[in-house]
Amino acid sequence: MSLNRRSKNITEGVARAPNRSMYYGMGYQSEDFVKPMIGVANGHSTITPCNSGLQKLADAAIEGIKEAGGNAQVFGTPTISDGMAMGTEGMKYSLVSREVISDCVETCVGGQWMDGVIVIGGCDKNMPGGLMGMLRANVPAIYVYGGTILPGHYKGKDLNIVSVFEAVGQFTAGKMSEEDFCQIEKRAIPGTGSCGGMYTANTMSSAFEALGISLPYSSTMANVEDEKTANTKESARVLVEAIRQDIKPRDIVTKKAIENAVAVIMATGGSTNAVLHFLAIAHAAEVDWSIDDFERMRKKVPVLCDLKPSGEYLAIDLHRAGGIPQVMKILLNAGLLHGDALTITGQAMAEVLAHVPDEPRADQNVIRPIDKAIYAEGHLAILKGNLAPEGCVAKITGLKNPVMTGPARVFDDEQSGLAAIMSKQIKAGDVMVLRYLGPKGGPGMPEMLAPTGALIGQGLGESVGLITDGRFSGGTWGMVVGHVAPEAAAGGLIALIQEGDSITIDSHQLLLQLNVDDAEIARRRALWKAPAPRYTRGVLAKFAHNASSASTGAVLDKFE
């Protein structure tokens, strides 16, 4: 193996002695300076169950790096618990944390001249943030997902975090006893791991496996099970070999690889957040990818997996049924996957999948064969129209009728909208408008799981529409449309909607329309004034000032 980047600098002469001295102070020996220096970006924290089980994985990564002949350099990355922050002011920091995490990875890898990095994360933004940092640094890298949570149980039913949000609506609607409500709250999260359905964390981990930046089967393992620890150690060994072969993230994350990832997102019924995050990932990778590419992929990729939130099963069930490799093999055989895409192992994706069965096992119902797909086309639709000329995102499968026209119920924040639902002011046929919640307006595009969960709990999930320039949790389903762009704070038409206006959501025609004539819209626009920034200092102010439109990923470095 050739000398690593740091050792080349250190061995250039006596001027580098202070560098060596600092390493000696941490127990390094002279022979260590010809070994690769490999970062371990450790997302462990006791903030959330998603990340509280990561330390054992970081320890396994360190051990694997040492056994493979490298030096592990551990540094931390932060996390925000979406589940805990949901419905509060703290939710504004969630998307912001994606950028903070990416900055942490880029800064430590670049500042310390690391030869490679293994990023370990759990909660939603850990994955896109980690990969964006990996792509910017562009040294050999691998992603290790902390793993999914196992389900909770109550009265013979599996529980997960979304069960609690929906129980709030059921309880307030008088459809659930206080005892059942309290038991669901206590039992829904039985231990460590990320939210159990095909919500955002499991969507992104599955997509990373499809990208080839994580190892096969790794994306659906449970955090508490031993195979996750063993897989992390193997990931470290693979990374050291990737350093020898000089396989970098931008060699892997190409347009073909992103198409593979989006195909898997569609086939598994993944989160709407994947649209936002893959726009940002493509930007970091300098890959030509737009919001319209998701619609192109949706039209040709069927939904193959019956997974929550709109389906029956959890990520651990998908794992036991054959995992993402089984889904990918079905797509590959159908001509819907690029088999020649490079993976972190140095193999092409078709080679990785060579030993996976052509058809899913007959004794499971989680993964369907291509001729028995749940839906013929994907579920994440890109709608446009006068309310969203740059596009917006709707999850359209699982709905009896994804078309409605109704009167607007307008709210300039999430809390007042939730209060209206809880006090039963929202009726079937209404279209709720939650605005000034975009990248700049929120700031940070908070997720609307509390309102949508309450609607579903009250039995209004399919009869009430909800549109927002904010985001939705991966656990959301129903007649919902998010990422409306341009956002209200930027003067988008969503800012000009008035109470009672007619709004059409038509997923068949891919249309989001305000049914108000142009002259009236022009009159309102002349009267509209941009609101003052909600924050003028600190990380939220910086995000609001720099964030691009949701239609381009809400990134902070898209300079015109």
Side-chain angles (χ1 to χ4, degrees), residues 131 277 322 350 356 371:
L131 181 53
H277 295 326
V356 178
D371 59 349

Side-chain angles (χ1 to χ4, degrees), residues 261-423:
V262 174
V264 165
I265 290 164
M266 295 295 178
T268 56
S271 167
T272 54
N273 283 310
V275 175
L276 187 79
H277 295 326
F278 266 93
L279 287 167
I281 288 165
H283 174 71
E286 297 187 87
V287 170
D288 181 20
W289 188 264
S290 76
I291 195 169
D292 295 323
D293 285 310
F294 292 95
E295 185 59 30
R296 173 175 60 84
M297 294 296 297
R298 183 189 72 82
K299 290 178 179 177
K300 65 180 183 179
V301 180
V303 178
L304 300 177
C305 299
D306 186 15
L307 296 168
K308 291 182 181 297
S310 57
E312 180 69 21
Y313 297 100
L314 296 169
I316 192 62
D317 300 313
L318 173 61
H319 187 63
R320 293 164 180 164
I324 294 302
Q326 182 64 81
V327 177
M328 294 186 75
K329 188 60 174 284
I330 296 168
L331 295 174
L332 179 67
N333 290 343
L336 298 173
L337 211 69
H338 298 289
D340 58 343
L342 179 68
T343 72
I344 188 61
T345 65
Q347 298 173 292
M349 186 58 75
E351 295 177 87
V352 172
L353 300 174
H355 300 294
V356 178
D358 288 332
E359 295 291 332
R361 297 197 321 268
D363 64 346
Q364 57 80 43
N365 295 312
V366 185
I367 307 171
R368 306 287 181 86
I370 199 85
D371 59 349
K372 295 181 180 178
I374 300 173
Y375 302 102
E377 294 182 341
H379 63 300
L380 296 180
I382 305 302
L383 277 55
K384 292 191 175 181
N386 68 354
L387 265 176
E390 294 180 13
C392 57
V393 186
K395 188 183 287 188
I396 63 174
T397 55
L399 298 174
K400 295 175 183 176
N401 182 22
V403 178
M404 73 176 296
T405 296
R409 303 298 309 279
V410 182
F411 305 91
D412 288 349
D413 57 65
E414 176 187 5
Q415 288 70 30
S416 58
L418 178 61
I421 297 168
M422 302 295 277
S423 60

Side-chain angles (χ1 to χ4, degrees), residues 509-532:
Q509 296 188 58
L510 303 177
L511 179 68
L512 183 66
Q513 189 78 12
L514 176 64
N515 302 311
V516 172
D517 66 62
D518 291 343
E520 174 60 15
I521 290 173
R523 187 190 69 80
R524 295 181 190 179
R525 185 168 298 285
L527 297 174
W528 180 80
K529 293 182 180 179

